[in-house]
Amino acid sequence: MKHITIIAPDGQTNLGTVACIAGAYEIFTRANEYFKDNGGKETFKIEIAGIKSQTPLAGGLFLVKSQVYISEISKTNLIIIPSLASNFDEDGPGNAGIVKWITSQYKNGAEIATMCSGAFMLASSGLLDGKNCSTHWNYAHKFRALFPKVNLQTDELITDENGIYTNGGAYSFLNLVLYLVEKYYDRQTAIFCSKIFQIEMDRQSQSPFIIFKGQKQHGDEMVREAQAYIESQLTEKISMETLSSKFSIGRRNFDRRFIKATGNTPIEYMQRVKVESAKKSFETTRKSINEVMYEVGYADLKAFREVFRRFTGVSPLAYRSKYNKEALNL
C-alpha cells in the first residue's frame, strides 16, 4: 500500500488551510473506495501528519488532529501542502521542521503537491528554484520578491514538473486533487470524483479569475506616474516613445525601469489596464463587444479579441456570457 501525507502546518494558517486539508482527505478517501470497488489492486493510506497531536488552524477556530507525527513517517509517496496565510514565515520553528522533513522525503523519492499559498512553504525549501510554479494570483508580487529564483506562472492553474505539483488560488485546489487522482489512480476514478463532488474536469487556467490591481507595490515614483498616466488615457492609443519622453528618459531605460518595478513592459501594462476595464464593463453593463472595445481604445476587433484572450484565457463573448446574466438576454 502506498502512502499520501497531508500536512497540518504549525501556525500561519487560515480558513483555506482547513478547506484544503478536509477536501483533499475526503476526495482521496472516496477515490480509494471507488478504485477498490472497481477492481483496483493498489490503494493509498491517507494520513494527516503534523508535529503536534492537535494543531490549531485559522487562529484557533478549528483544531485538526494529526493521525501521525511526521517524524514517524520514514517514507511517503505524495506530500500535500495546504494553503497557508499570506504572511508565511519560513523561519517559523514548527514549519522549519516540516520543511526539512519535506525536503528529505523529496530526495527519497516522494512527490509534493502545494495548494494555493502553500507554495510559499515549498519555495522556502529551495526545491522550486529554477522550476515552474503557480500560486494565488493575489500573492504573485510578494512571492516573486521572496523567491526570485522560482519561475512563477500565475496564469497556470496547475504545474507539474519533476515530481512537484503546484496550483493556483483558493478553491482551485479541488482541480489539483482531481489531477492527482487521475495520475495516481486512473481517468475513470477522476471522472467519478468529478461527478460526486461536482468539480469541473480539466481546468487549465486561472486567468479568467485574475483581478488586475495595477502592480503599485514598488518604490519607483516615475513608474507610478507613468502608470497613472496610462490609466487616465484608457481610450487612447499611447505611444511608448511619447510616454518615455514625457518623463525625459530614453525608451530603453524607461522600459527597463518599468519592467523592474511592475514585472510587465509598458505595453503589456497598458493592455492589462484596458482588458481589466473591459472585463468590468462586460460584468456590469449590457454594452456590446464593439462598444466596450471602442471604450478601451481598440478599433480592430481581431486585435481586441487576441489581447483579451491572452490575459483572460477566453474570448470577450465567452467572458460576458459567463459573468453577466443580463447579457445573455441580448
Side-chain angles (χ1 to χ4, degrees), residues 39-60:
K41 295 181 179 180
E42 189 171 46
T43 54
F44 289 83
K45 185 177 184 179
I46 305 154
E47 291 187 307
I48 299 172
I51 62 171
K52 300 176 180 176
S53 59
Q54 287 190 330
T55 302
L57 303 179

PDB file of all heavy atoms in Angstrom, residues 39-60:
ATOM      1  N   GLY A  39     -12.096  -3.013  -8.804  1.00  0.00           N
ATOM      2  CA  GLY A  39     -11.029  -3.945  -9.146  1.00  0.00           C
ATOM      3  C   GLY A  39      -9.621  -3.413  -9.029  1.00  0.00           C
ATOM      4  O   GLY A  39      -8.657  -4.101  -9.395  1.00  0.00           O
ATOM      5  N   GLY A  40      -9.468  -2.172  -8.549  1.00  0.00           N
ATOM      6  CA  GLY A  40      -8.124  -1.625  -8.388  1.00  0.00           C
ATOM      7  C   GLY A  40      -7.356  -2.384  -7.321  1.00  0.00           C
ATOM      8  O   GLY A  40      -7.906  -2.701  -6.265  1.00  0.00           O
ATOM      9  N   LYS A  41      -6.105  -2.666  -7.571  1.00  0.00           N
ATOM     10  CA  LYS A  41      -5.331  -3.506  -6.662  1.00  0.00           C
ATOM     11  C   LYS A  41      -4.582  -2.715  -5.595  1.00  0.00           C
ATOM     12  O   LYS A  41      -4.414  -3.190  -4.479  1.00  0.00           O
ATOM     13  CB  LYS A  41      -4.336  -4.348  -7.466  1.00  0.00           C
ATOM     14  CG  LYS A  41      -5.014  -5.359  -8.392  1.00  0.00           C
ATOM     15  CD  LYS A  41      -3.978  -6.184  -9.136  1.00  0.00           C
ATOM     16  CE  LYS A  41      -4.647  -7.206 -10.053  1.00  0.00           C
ATOM     17  NZ  LYS A  41      -3.662  -8.019 -10.803  1.00  0.00           N
ATOM     18  N   GLU A  42      -4.135  -1.538  -5.944  1.00  0.00           N
ATOM     19  CA  GLU A  42      -3.289  -0.798  -5.016  1.00  0.00           C
ATOM     20  C   GLU A  42      -3.941   0.525  -4.648  1.00  0.00           C
ATOM     21  O   GLU A  42      -4.128   1.398  -5.488  1.00  0.00           O
ATOM     22  CB  GLU A  42      -1.915  -0.550  -5.639  1.00  0.00           C
ATOM     23  CG  GLU A  42      -0.904   0.017  -4.656  1.00  0.00           C
ATOM     24  CD  GLU A  42       0.505   0.047  -5.248  1.00  0.00           C
ATOM     25  OE1 GLU A  42       0.649   0.488  -6.404  1.00  0.00           O
ATOM     26  OE2 GLU A  42       1.440  -0.365  -4.550  1.00  0.00           O
ATOM     27  N   THR A  43      -4.317   0.652  -3.383  1.00  0.00           N
ATOM     28  CA  THR A  43      -4.887   1.910  -2.906  1.00  0.00           C
ATOM     29  C   THR A  43      -3.862   2.618  -2.018  1.00  0.00           C
ATOM     30  O   THR A  43      -2.731   2.174  -1.880  1.00  0.00           O
ATOM     31  CB  THR A  43      -6.187   1.649  -2.119  1.00  0.00           C
ATOM     32  OG1 THR A  43      -5.916   0.696  -1.083  1.00  0.00           O
ATOM     33  CG2 THR A  43      -7.277   1.101  -3.033  1.00  0.00           C
ATOM     34  N   PHE A  44      -4.284   3.725  -1.429  1.00  0.00           N
ATOM     35  CA  PHE A  44      -3.355   4.548  -0.660  1.00  0.00           C
ATOM     36  C   PHE A  44      -3.794   4.658   0.797  1.00  0.00           C
ATOM     37  O   PHE A  44      -4.991   4.716   1.095  1.00  0.00           O
ATOM     38  CB  PHE A  44      -3.275   5.953  -1.261  1.00  0.00           C
ATOM     39  CG  PHE A  44      -2.556   6.005  -2.569  1.00  0.00           C
ATOM     40  CD1 PHE A  44      -3.216   5.701  -3.740  1.00  0.00           C
ATOM     41  CD2 PHE A  44      -1.213   6.348  -2.632  1.00  0.00           C
ATOM     42  CE1 PHE A  44      -2.555   5.746  -4.962  1.00  0.00           C
ATOM     43  CE2 PHE A  44      -0.543   6.389  -3.837  1.00  0.00           C
ATOM     44  CZ  PHE A  44      -1.219   6.087  -5.010  1.00  0.00           C
ATOM     45  N   LYS A  45      -2.828   4.695   1.686  1.00  0.00           N
ATOM     46  CA  LYS A  45      -3.079   5.050   3.068  1.00  0.00           C
ATOM     47  C   LYS A  45      -2.974   6.558   3.151  1.00  0.00           C
ATOM     48  O   LYS A  45      -1.934   7.139   2.813  1.00  0.00           O
ATOM     49  CB  LYS A  45      -2.065   4.387   3.993  1.00  0.00           C
ATOM     50  CG  LYS A  45      -2.344   4.630   5.478  1.00  0.00           C
ATOM     51  CD  LYS A  45      -1.354   3.885   6.355  1.00  0.00           C
ATOM     52  CE  LYS A  45      -1.694   4.061   7.839  1.00  0.00           C
ATOM     53  NZ  LYS A  45      -0.738   3.324   8.707  1.00  0.00           N
ATOM     54  N   ILE A  46      -4.041   7.208   3.566  1.00  0.00           N
ATOM     55  CA  ILE A  46      -4.098   8.671   3.581  1.00  0.00           C
ATOM     56  C   ILE A  46      -4.050   9.126   5.028  1.00  0.00           C
ATOM     57  O   ILE A  46      -4.901   8.742   5.848  1.00  0.00           O
ATOM     58  CB  ILE A  46      -5.394   9.171   2.909  1.00  0.00           C
ATOM     59  CG1 ILE A  46      -5.512   8.597   1.495  1.00  0.00           C
ATOM     60  CG2 ILE A  46      -5.424  10.689   2.873  1.00  0.00           C
ATOM     61  CD1 ILE A  46      -6.929   8.490   1.004  1.00  0.00           C
ATOM     62  N   GLU A  47      -3.061   9.942   5.380  1.00  0.00           N
ATOM     63  CA  GLU A  47      -2.890  10.375   6.762  1.00  0.00           C
ATOM     64  C   GLU A  47      -2.630  11.871   6.842  1.00  0.00           C
ATOM     65  O   GLU A  47      -1.902  12.433   6.024  1.00  0.00           O
ATOM     66  CB  GLU A  47      -1.725   9.632   7.421  1.00  0.00           C
ATOM     67  CG  GLU A  47      -1.995   8.148   7.653  1.00  0.00           C
ATOM     68  CD  GLU A  47      -0.885   7.490   8.449  1.00  0.00           C
ATOM     69  OE1 GLU A  47       0.294   7.621   8.050  1.00  0.00           O
ATOM     70  OE2 GLU A  47      -1.192   6.843   9.469  1.00  0.00           O
ATOM     71  N   ILE A  48      -3.234  12.484   7.848  1.00  0.00           N
ATOM     72  CA  ILE A  48      -2.938  13.878   8.175  1.00  0.00           C
ATOM     73  C   ILE A  48      -1.796  13.869   9.179  1.00  0.00           C
ATOM     74  O   ILE A  48      -1.879  13.225  10.227  1.00  0.00           O
ATOM     75  CB  ILE A  48      -4.166  14.589   8.769  1.00  0.00           C
ATOM     76  CG1 ILE A  48      -5.311  14.593   7.738  1.00  0.00           C
ATOM     77  CG2 ILE A  48      -3.821  16.016   9.185  1.00  0.00           C
ATOM     78  CD1 ILE A  48      -6.636  15.088   8.285  1.00  0.00           C
ATOM     79  N   ALA A  49      -0.703  14.548   8.837  1.00  0.00           N
ATOM     80  CA  ALA A  49       0.504  14.486   9.660  1.00  0.00           C
ATOM     81  C   ALA A  49       0.939  15.881  10.091  1.00  0.00           C
ATOM     82  O   ALA A  49       0.880  16.839   9.308  1.00  0.00           O
ATOM     83  CB  ALA A  49       1.629  13.798   8.898  1.00  0.00           C
ATOM     84  N   GLY A  50       1.395  15.997  11.326  1.00  0.00           N
ATOM     85  CA  GLY A  50       1.895  17.262  11.834  1.00  0.00           C
ATOM     86  C   GLY A  50       3.008  17.040  12.845  1.00  0.00           C
ATOM     87  O   GLY A  50       3.482  15.913  13.015  1.00  0.00           O
ATOM     88  N   ILE A  51       3.383  18.100  13.522  1.00  0.00           N
ATOM     89  CA  ILE A  51       4.423  17.967  14.553  1.00  0.00           C
ATOM     90  C   ILE A  51       3.813  17.982  15.949  1.00  0.00           C
ATOM     91  O   ILE A  51       4.519  17.853  16.942  1.00  0.00           O
ATOM     92  CB  ILE A  51       5.477  19.088  14.424  1.00  0.00           C
ATOM     93  CG1 ILE A  51       4.840  20.459  14.641  1.00  0.00           C
ATOM     94  CG2 ILE A  51       6.185  19.021  13.084  1.00  0.00           C
ATOM     95  CD1 ILE A  51       5.855  21.581  14.744  1.00  0.00           C
ATOM     96  N   LYS A  52       2.479  18.133  16.013  1.00  0.00           N
ATOM     97  CA  LYS A  52       1.747  18.116  17.279  1.00  0.00           C
ATOM     98  C   LYS A  52       0.581  17.136  17.154  1.00  0.00           C
ATOM     99  O   LYS A  52       0.123  16.827  16.051  1.00  0.00           O
ATOM    100  CB  LYS A  52       1.203  19.509  17.604  1.00  0.00           C
ATOM    101  CG  LYS A  52       2.251  20.597  17.752  1.00  0.00           C
ATOM    102  CD  LYS A  52       1.573  21.950  17.972  1.00  0.00           C
ATOM    103  CE  LYS A  52       2.605  23.059  18.113  1.00  0.00           C
ATOM    104  NZ  LYS A  52       1.958  24.389  18.226  1.00  0.00           N
ATOM    105  N   SER A  53       0.074  16.682  18.296  1.00  0.00           N
ATOM    106  CA  SER A  53      -1.076  15.773  18.264  1.00  0.00           C
ATOM    107  C   SER A  53      -2.332  16.497  17.790  1.00  0.00           C
ATOM    108  O   SER A  53      -3.168  15.931  17.089  1.00  0.00           O
ATOM    109  CB  SER A  53      -1.315  15.160  19.640  1.00  0.00           C
ATOM    110  OG  SER A  53      -1.562  16.186  20.601  1.00  0.00           O
ATOM    111  N   GLN A  54      -2.455  17.764  18.165  1.00  0.00           N
ATOM    112  CA  GLN A  54      -3.560  18.608  17.701  1.00  0.00           C
ATOM    113  C   GLN A  54      -3.005  19.963  17.279  1.00  0.00           C
ATOM    114  O   GLN A  54      -2.248  20.586  18.029  1.00  0.00           O
ATOM    115  CB  GLN A  54      -4.617  18.799  18.794  1.00  0.00           C
ATOM    116  CG  GLN A  54      -5.465  17.568  19.042  1.00  0.00           C
ATOM    117  CD  GLN A  54      -6.646  17.875  19.950  1.00  0.00           C
ATOM    118  OE1 GLN A  54      -6.568  18.755  20.799  1.00  0.00           O
ATOM    119  NE2 GLN A  54      -7.740  17.168  19.755  1.00  0.00           N
ATOM    120  N   THR A  55      -3.397  20.384  16.105  1.00  0.00           N
ATOM    121  CA  THR A  55      -2.883  21.653  15.574  1.00  0.00           C
ATOM    122  C   THR A  55      -4.025  22.643  15.407  1.00  0.00           C
ATOM    123  O   THR A  55      -5.001  22.358  14.707  1.00  0.00           O
ATOM    124  CB  THR A  55      -2.211  21.423  14.205  1.00  0.00           C
ATOM    125  OG1 THR A  55      -1.166  20.465  14.346  1.00  0.00           O
ATOM    126  CG2 THR A  55      -1.629  22.729  13.676  1.00  0.00           C
ATOM    127  N   PRO A  56      -3.959  23.806  16.062  1.00  0.00           N
ATOM    128  CA  PRO A  56      -4.993  24.823  15.847  1.00  0.00           C
ATOM    129  C   PRO A  56      -4.828  25.466  14.473  1.00  0.00           C
ATOM    130  O   PRO A  56      -3.720  25.782  14.049  1.00  0.00           O
ATOM    131  CB  PRO A  56      -4.726  25.831  16.969  1.00  0.00           C
ATOM    132  CG  PRO A  56      -3.277  25.657  17.309  1.00  0.00           C
ATOM    133  CD  PRO A  56      -2.932  24.226  17.037  1.00  0.00           C
ATOM    134  N   LEU A  57      -5.935  25.643  13.772  1.00  0.00           N
ATOM    135  CA  LEU A  57      -5.922  26.265  12.448  1.00  0.00           C
ATOM    136  C   LEU A  57      -6.811  27.497  12.447  1.00  0.00           C
ATOM    137  O   LEU A  57      -7.752  27.594  13.226  1.00  0.00           O
ATOM    138  CB  LEU A  57      -6.418  25.277  11.380  1.00  0.00           C
ATOM    139  CG  LEU A  57      -5.679  23.945  11.241  1.00  0.00           C
ATOM    140  CD1 LEU A  57      -6.330  23.090  10.166  1.00  0.00           C
ATOM    141  CD2 LEU A  57      -4.206  24.164  10.922  1.00  0.00           C
ATOM    142  N   ALA A  58      -6.512  28.426  11.547  1.00  0.00           N
ATOM    143  CA  ALA A  58      -7.320  29.635  11.362  1.00  0.00           C
ATOM    144  C   ALA A  58      -7.515  30.385  12.677  1.00  0.00           C
ATOM    145  O   ALA A  58      -8.633  30.701  13.084  1.00  0.00           O
ATOM    146  CB  ALA A  58      -8.671  29.283  10.731  1.00  0.00           C
ATOM    147  N   GLY A  59      -6.405  30.665  13.356  1.00  0.00           N
ATOM    148  CA  GLY A  59      -6.458  31.426  14.591  1.00  0.00           C
ATOM    149  C   GLY A  59      -7.142  30.708  15.732  1.00  0.00           C
ATOM    150  O   GLY A  59      -7.691  31.344  16.637  1.00  0.00           O
ATOM    151  N   GLY A  60      -7.112  29.368  15.700  1.00  0.00           N
ATOM    152  CA  GLY A  60      -7.713  28.581  16.767  1.00  0.00           C
ATOM    153  C   GLY A  60      -9.179  28.269  16.566  1.00  0.00           C
ATOM    154  O   GLY A  60      -9.813  27.625  17.407  1.00  0.00           O
TER     155      GLY A  60
END
